[in-house]
Amino acid sequence: MIFLSRLKAFASSRVLATLGMVWLGVIIFAAVTAPLLAPFDPTEIDPIARLSEPGSLYWFGTDHFGRDTFSRALFGARMAILIGSGSVIVALLLGGLVGMLSAYFTTLGHVFMRIVDVLMAFPALLLALVLMTLLERSVINTILVIGIVYASTTARILFGMTLKLKNEVFVDAARCSGAGHISLLFRHILPNLISPLLVQASFIFAFAQLQSAALDFLGLGLPPEMASWGNMLSEERIYVTRAPWLLIFPGALIILSVFSMNLVGDAMRDSIDPRFKNDIAGV
Amino acid sequence: MLSYTLKRLLTLLPTLIAASILVFLFVHLIPGDPAAVLLGDTATPQEIAALTREMGLDKPLWQQYTLWLSEVAKGNLGQSIFFKAPVTSIIADGAQTSILLATMTIFWIIIFGIPIGVLSATRQGSWVDQLTSGLAMFFASVPTFWLGLYLILIFAVGLGWFPSSGFPSIFDEGGISNLRYLLLPSLTLAAPNAALIIRLVRASMLDISREDHVRTARAKGLHPTKVAIKHVFRNALITVVAAFGFTFAALVSEAVVTETVFSLPGIGRLVVQSILRRDYPVIQGVILVIVVLYLFINLLVDLAYAMLDPRVSLK
Amino acid sequence: MALLEVKNLSVAIRQKQGLITVVDNLSFHVDENETLGIVGESGCGKSLTALSIMGLLQGSQVRITEGTVCFDGVDLLILGPAERRAIMGDQMAMIFQEPMTSLNPVYRVGDQIVEVLLQHLKLSRAAAKQRTLELLDLVRIPNPILQINSYPHQMSGGQRQRIMIAMALACSPRILIADEPTTALDVTVQKEVLDLMGELQRHTGTAIVLISHDLGVIAQTCDRVAVMYRGKIVETAATKALFADIRHPYTKGLLNSLPLVDGDVEWLDTIPGQVPGIETVLPGCAFQPRCAFADERCSYEKPNDIRVAGGHWARCHYAGQST
Ligand SMILES: Nc1ncnc2c1ncn2[C@@H]1O[C@H](COP(=O)(O)OP(=O)(O)O)[C@@H](O)[C@H]1O
Ligand SMILES: [Mg+2]
């Protein structure tokens, strides 16, 4: 109940961010129900219907194989959610752990944070590209690569925040009353970091959409046969003069998703603890 | 200032060494014999044996590393499998395009990003602010290649105002006017980064304008524009400059995509093509160059920061 | 005619519950050459009053809802922004509570003083610099020629506040508003700065509005005192007259809470209770919940200003009876 009323307060004060949440809900819904909603099999090739314009039969038109763009877009939502949430989980788990542990155990921190420094010396997409060179094109690998890239930023941010919290009175108090390291870190410090982590999560989700689309476009992301919005753009780009809608729909879906998550992240950042506000860069 | 520079250089050194070790290890992470990896599929056993000897690939890793590093220091980044030419010269071929593209892009970022950010901050809450903030957020959310494709579609294919792809050198026929080939690419590349700068300038100016010393400036009876520029923007600039290293990283990432979209003969496209061609020596060389450049830019950013903020001790 | 005449000034802030009046129908005046002290607990609206007079209220949350602020016979509140700016920093100047943050950290202190001189006086840069050196000397900054090139972070709080005073006095203002100028300083530095201000006033004849939460500070330096409580002036009189015959229980409370000897203790809160939150609406006297003398009447009827003697007023039902 408290949660509901807080959600309501959030919604009334931040209209745009709420719209962002609603859009996220829409793509999650599309992702879950894609096989039910899709009017066609997303992989079904129909040479006669190649490059059909959007209409009552093919809502978003068809691509150069005659596949239904709308159905593919629905299945693309699956990839978007999968890549987005997967990258968030990898980045937050890995980066969060490294950052918190480094701040808490100073000696360990010296080593860990130097490694993070080194990883951050590689521009994000470049690091992703290099890692993809070493790996097969697959969903898991794309998630891992994007997750690892943003783990370093997350580690850096969490490191700073944990350092600030570590010296606060409530931590001392808990320590004096006999709390162990594990309990201090996860029962006392971590709860304070939940909202900054959520902000970070929404930005990583947004970044992940852009990065995976870029990887797909460069031919180094998801396997080409998979229906992702990035792959749809990548495959159909040479037909853009004949069938401009082929790029409009997947492009608009990416933009809307990234835009939404950025709005959500922005709004959440405005409402978190002012101590942490400037630590999270965002878009 | 000099001693400060040297000190910053010294602190960069460990990162530089660690990064170079990673770049060195890259070839070893690829499954297969490193010599075979470096020579490609067509290599004969004799060639593999020769390279193994030359690079000391039968020696312990750390000796290989020092050998490799000493070659790098001499400017030898190895031999491209695809081009059958030294990696250094291949990178040098792409450098002109990439450097010009980056320069033009940074020009746009400054020309658009800073004034619009200042305007947005000084009109906080007005429709101008809402419009620019919305647009900035939009451009930060658009995939670079998608924007590039539509710019090509509209301005090159549709209106025919600009060439759609490629870039002849400015030293070839056409001279400086060849820069028009880079107009659409640089605007594409600038859009998301200018958006970033707009948001950053706006946010840090709003932060600064809440500080006490701005009230002091207003109490002097200064014109609001003067307060905004001399007292708010000047202080916000410190934050903006500090973030420029970050912008540069984003620029490199997006340049890879932009050069591919516009088929520009730059280093970004080179790296993508080399990955698709499994031309590992080139990949390794480009990565090394970019990392060194990136660290160097960060050093410059640090120095600029120190010059802008008197609170930073130069000792 | 008074130099500064504030009449029925009300300032409201916008909050979720609606507009809340935090400065309530305030009236007072300052004569030439005079030092008026405004004293009251923190949060009672002193700073908002000062900022309203200076024209420095900012943000959509705060606004002046009614009243006039006449300076030299001109209502400042109806002046255009350019005319207003011509007075700010020139004929009216202000010193703020936070010396550590009131100077711009990226400019040399000298340049920050030069800036205000060039804004209002027709001076060459060299002349402005010369005048700045004199001002630094005037506020007793040791070694002005060296310190003119210092950055704020290289100075102590006391020195920075001296710089702020020099900056405020640069254009020889006719009135100086000092909002808790010494609150953030050490006790010894506090005394030095106050002495300096008093001395400068004798020197220049500038009228001063000295704002403080410390009745002791006010008693030492001011000609007249206005005691503020929850946005209203509850008692006002010439300093001597006031201390000879305090009529409002709140003023008495303030006095009793002063430490007897100049010790480390600055504020002994002997007034029971807390100031009711600004959003609480009280039907009667605002001080009633904390007042030892309050009775039935105080809880439903708002007191009016009661004249005690010439120039001595108190806003209490029982101010007429000497205690
Ligand atoms: N900009 C503002 N926005 C909202 N509330 C404010 C603002 N400035 C002051 N207030 C509120 O108005 C009241 C009076 O503040 P102030 O004039 O600063 O008190 P004082 O200077 O006497 O300590 C306080 O309760 C304060 O919280
Ligand atoms: Mg105050």
Side-chain angles (χ1 to χ4, degrees):
Chain A
M1 271 338 277
I2 290 175
F3 176 73
L4 259 183
S5 67
R6 274 176 67 179
L7 204 66
K8 244 162 114 186
F10 183 81
S12 61
S13 64
R14 324 225 172 233
V15 183
L16 281 176
T18 311
L19 287 179
M21 288 294 235
V22 169
W23 177 251
L24 181 68
V26 169
I27 44 175
I28 291 179
F29 179 75
V32 173
T33 58
L36 301 174
L37 292 182
F40 294 90
D41 179 345
T43 54
E44 185 186 295
I45 294 174
D46 181 358
I48 302 162
R50 289 180 77 235
L51 302 180
S52 313
E53 283 185 30
S56 57
L57 186 56
Y58 302 110
W59 294 355
F60 287 2
T62 60
D63 66 11
H64 74 285
F65 286 125
R67 294 176 297 193
D68 178 40
T69 307
F70 180 69
S71 305
R72 290 180 71 72
L74 282 177
F75 279 88
R78 293 195 148 180
M79 289 299 128
I81 295 293
L82 208 58
I83 302 281
S85 39
S87 313
V88 166
I89 291 170
V90 173
L92 291 195
L93 273 185
L94 192 65
L97 266 183
V98 168
M100 280 179 66
L101 291 177
S102 302
Y104 194 82
F105 302 106
T106 338
T107 347
L108 185 76
H110 276 302
V111 182
F112 273 8
M113 292 321 285
R114 286 296 81 72
I115 297 174
V116 169
D117 275 348
V118 174
L119 281 183
M120 288 183 83
F122 295 82
L125 184 64
L126 207 64
L127 183 58
L129 281 182
V130 173
L131 292 176
M132 282 312 286
T133 326
L134 304 173
L135 302 168
E136 290 279 298
R137 290 177 71 173
S138 75
V139 178
I140 290 292
N141 286 344
T142 308
I143 289 176
L144 278 179
V145 162
I146 297 177
I148 289 173
V149 168
Y150 289 108
S152 52
T153 4
T154 309
R156 179 43 70 70
I157 293 168
L158 273 241
F159 177 71
M161 291 179 179
T162 312
L163 268 190
K164 281 182 200 168
L165 287 177
K166 193 179 133 186
N167 298 319
E168 300 236 333
V169 184
F170 76 93
V171 177
D172 285 339
R175 187 180 296 121
C176 292
S177 54
H181 292 318
I182 300 288
S183 152
L184 275 182
L185 263 176
F186 295 101
R187 298 247 315 271
H188 296 276
I189 295 182
L190 184 62
N192 288 282
L193 296 172
I194 292 296
S195 32
L197 276 173
L198 280 176
V199 180
Q200 179 70 0
S202 48
F203 286 135
I204 293 179
F205 193 96
F207 282 129
Q209 302 303 318
L210 285 176
Q211 295 286 8
S212 72
L215 284 174
D216 289 352
F217 175 78
L218 296 173
L220 291 163
L222 300 172
E225 68 277 5
M226 279 196 169
S228 73
W229 298 335
N231 274 345
M232 291 169 72
L233 289 174
S234 177
E235 284 169 20
E236 305 304 322
R237 71 178 127 142
I238 39 176
Y239 303 100
V240 65
T241 42
R242 277 171 60 195
W245 62 87
L246 283 177
L247 298 200
I248 295 260
F249 292 113
L253 288 170
I254 296 178
I255 295 172
L256 265 173
S257 308
V258 178
F259 194 81
S260 299
M261 290 319 284
N262 279 337
L263 284 177
V264 172
D266 255 18
M268 286 204 293
R269 176 170 50 181
D270 286 346
S271 59
I272 60 170
D273 193 331
R275 274 178 307 179
F276 298 143
K277 217 168 256 181
N278 290 330
D279 292 338
I280 304 175
V283 276
Chain B
M1 200 72 208
L2 187 70
S3 68
Y4 181 76
T5 314
L6 287 176
K7 209 181 98 187
R8 296 299 314 168
L9 259 177
L10 273 181
T11 55
L12 265 184
L13 215 54
T15 315
L16 193 59
I17 291 172
S20 72
I21 291 176
L22 272 191
V23 175
F24 162 76
L25 285 179
F26 166 70
V27 170
H28 292 264
L29 290 174
I30 298 161
D33 177 17
V37 166
L38 286 173
L39 287 169
D41 300 334
T42 57
T44 62
Q46 288 84 352
E47 285 173 323
I48 293 179
L51 190 72
T52 307
R53 225 172 313 112
E54 187 190 327
M55 293 186 67
L57 293 176
D58 43 1
K59 300 215 177 79
L61 263 184
W62 69 269
Q63 279 183 10
Q64 291 181 37
Y65 171 70
T66 45
L67 208 65
W68 174 77
L69 202 61
S70 67
E71 286 302 310
V72 168
K74 280 185 255 167
N76 175 14
L77 292 171
Q79 195 80 4
S80 159
I81 303 169
F82 181 80
F83 295 99
K84 313 273 182 236
V87 170
T88 326
S89 71
I90 290 166
I91 292 177
D93 286 343
Q96 187 201 111
T97 309
S98 294
I99 291 172
L100 285 174
L101 178 65
T103 314
M104 278 175 80
T105 305
I106 291 172
F107 178 76
W108 296 133
I109 292 176
I110 293 173
I111 288 279
F112 289 114
I114 289 182
I116 296 179
V118 172
L119 191 75
S120 192
T122 49
R123 306 271 163 82
Q124 190 203 359
S126 71
W127 66 266
V128 180
D129 176 36
Q130 286 176 355
L131 184 75
T132 50
S133 298
L135 278 179
M137 176 86 96
F138 173 79
F139 278 110
S141 309
V142 173
T144 327
F145 62 89
W146 188 86
L147 184 63
L149 287 172
Y150 272 95
L151 286 183
I152 294 177
L153 193 63
I154 296 169
F155 293 101
V157 178
L159 298 169
W161 290 354
F162 303 102
S164 67
S165 68
F167 173 60
S169 161
I170 51 166
F171 303 115
D172 291 350
E173 198 186 338
I176 289 293
S177 73
N178 284 345
L179 285 179
R180 70 184 190 283
Y181 282 83
L182 294 182
L183 202 68
L184 290 183
S186 59
L187 284 172
T188 306
L189 193 47
N193 292 294
L196 219 86
I197 294 290
I198 291 175
R199 289 169 57 78
L200 191 63
V201 168
R202 178 179 182 275
S204 43
M205 277 186 73
L206 290 181
D207 272 354
I208 300 281
S209 65
R210 278 188 286 269
E211 286 181 7
D212 290 332
H213 66 82
V214 177
R215 190 180 53 193
T216 309
R218 291 197 297 133
K220 288 176 179 177
L222 303 181
H223 192 276
T225 310
K226 192 165 185 184
V227 175
I229 300 300
K230 197 174 161 188
H231 290 273
V232 181
F233 176 69
R234 169 63 179 76
N235 292 47
L237 196 58
I238 299 173
T239 324
V240 175
V241 164
F244 193 79
F246 187 70
T247 309
F248 180 80
L251 209 66
V252 170
S253 292
E254 275 145 17
V256 171
V257 175
T258 309
E259 290 185 359
T260 307
V261 174
F262 288 89
S263 309
L264 301 179
I267 295 174
R269 194 171 66 134
L270 177 67
V271 91
V272 176
Q273 290 183 332
S274 302
I275 289 172
L276 296 174
R277 290 175 191 140
R278 314 255 149 210
D279 194 346
Y280 296 111
V282 176
I283 306 175
Q284 193 184 32
V286 172
I287 305 286
L288 185 68
V289 168
I290 290 178
V291 169
V292 172
L293 192 66
Y294 183 36
L295 288 175
F296 178 70
I297 296 268
N298 273 322
L299 177 72
L300 289 186
V301 166
D302 267 3
L303 295 183
Y305 187 96
M307 282 197 301
L308 283 173
D309 191 347
R311 283 164 297 186
V312 176
S313 157
L314 294 180
K315 300 265 155 44
Chain C
M1 186 183 61
L3 178 65
L4 179 76
E5 173 100 52
V6 175
K7 266 211 186 109
N8 307 328
L9 180 72
S10 291
V11 180
I13 57 179
R14 193 196 307 276
Q15 288 199 336
K16 280 198 207 82
Q17 306 93 315
L19 276 184
I20 296 166
T21 304
V22 279
V23 174
D24 193 0
N25 223 344
L26 210 65
S27 300
F28 63 88
H29 68 94
V30 186
D31 292 320
E32 309 242 17
N33 257 325
E34 182 189 37
T35 303
L36 171 72
I38 299 182
V39 65
E41 281 163 311
S42 126
C44 70
K46 305 180 299 290
S47 295
L48 285 180
T49 306
L51 294 172
S52 308
I53 296 170
M54 272 304 281
L56 290 174
L57 283 185
Q58 208 186 14
S60 49
Q61 255 84 291
V62 225
R63 75 151 62 100
I64 298 176
T65 47
E66 64 167 301
T68 55
V69 175
C70 287
F71 176 69
D72 213 9
V74 182
D75 184 2
L76 297 178
L77 298 186
I78 57 170
L79 285 186
E83 293 165 302
R84 190 79 198 255
R85 286 199 300 273
I87 298 175
M88 285 158 80
D90 186 34
Q91 300 188 50
M92 282 177 111
M94 183 159 174
I95 306 170
F96 303 95
Q97 177 173 350
E98 306 82 9
M100 302 313 273
T101 51
S102 289
L103 290 163
N104 190 330
V106 308
Y107 295 114
R108 297 173 198 278
V109 293
D111 292 338
Q112 300 192 47
I113 299 176
V114 165
E115 183 177 40
V116 67
L117 286 167
L118 294 180
Q119 178 71 23
H120 295 288
L121 309 177
K122 290 200 167 49
L123 288 178
S124 67
R125 192 158 266 282
K129 190 169 174 201
Q130 189 52 44
R131 168 98 177 112
T132 301
L133 284 174
E134 291 164 21
L135 283 164
L136 292 184
D137 198 42
L138 195 69
V139 296
R140 307 234 181 76
I141 293 281
N143 207 343
I145 298 189
L146 204 68
Q147 296 281 45
I148 195 172
N149 289 323
S150 296
Y151 286 100
H153 72 274
Q154 296 164 328
M155 296 185 145
S156 67
Q159 277 183 319
R160 288 189 219 185
Q161 199 60 300
R162 285 162 199 267
I163 298 289
M164 287 299 292
I165 294 173
M167 192 187 290
L169 295 178
C171 301
S172 315
R174 297 176 62 193
I175 189 162
L176 175 68
I177 300 173
D179 185 6
E180 312 231 16
T182 58
T183 305
L185 304 175
D186 290 345
V187 184
T188 46
V189 185
Q190 195 169 19
K191 182 155 168 39
E192 283 169 27
V193 169
L194 282 176
D195 289 348
L196 175 70
M197 285 178 58
E199 190 184 320
L200 291 175
Q201 190 201 24
R202 281 190 292 281
H203 207 69
T204 57
T206 303
I208 294 179
V209 177
L210 180 67
I211 295 174
S212 177
H213 65 260
D214 184 342
L215 194 60
V217 166
I218 298 281
Q220 282 166 32
T221 35
C222 298
D223 304 316
R224 258 185 329 114
V225 183
V227 181
M228 222 172 139
Y229 183 75
R230 279 194 105 218
K232 290 190 176 76
I233 289 182
V234 292
E235 185 161 18
T236 175
T239 312
K240 278 211 185 93
L242 180 73
F243 286 104
D245 185 12
I246 293 179
R247 289 302 173 95
H248 199 287
Y250 177 64
T251 317
K252 236 168 267 170
L254 281 182
L255 183 70
N256 289 339
S257 63
L258 281 182
L260 289 178
V261 274
D262 260 4
D264 303 336
V265 201
E266 238 191 78
W267 180 259
L268 293 173
D269 194 2
T270 60
I271 306 181
Q274 282 291 312
V275 192
I278 46 172
E279 62 288 335
T280 326
V281 180
L282 294 167
C285 173
F287 189 56
Q288 174 266 335
R290 303 169 69 195
C291 181
F293 309 97
D295 63 10
E296 193 60 38
R297 182 182 173 199
C298 302
S299 64
Y300 60 80
E301 188 183 335
K302 283 194 196 310
N304 287 322
D305 267 340
I306 292 184
R307 185 170 170 276
V308 179
H312 186 170
W313 296 81
R315 192 179 285 255
C316 173
H317 293 306
Y318 304 106
Q321 307 155 14
S322 175
T323 42

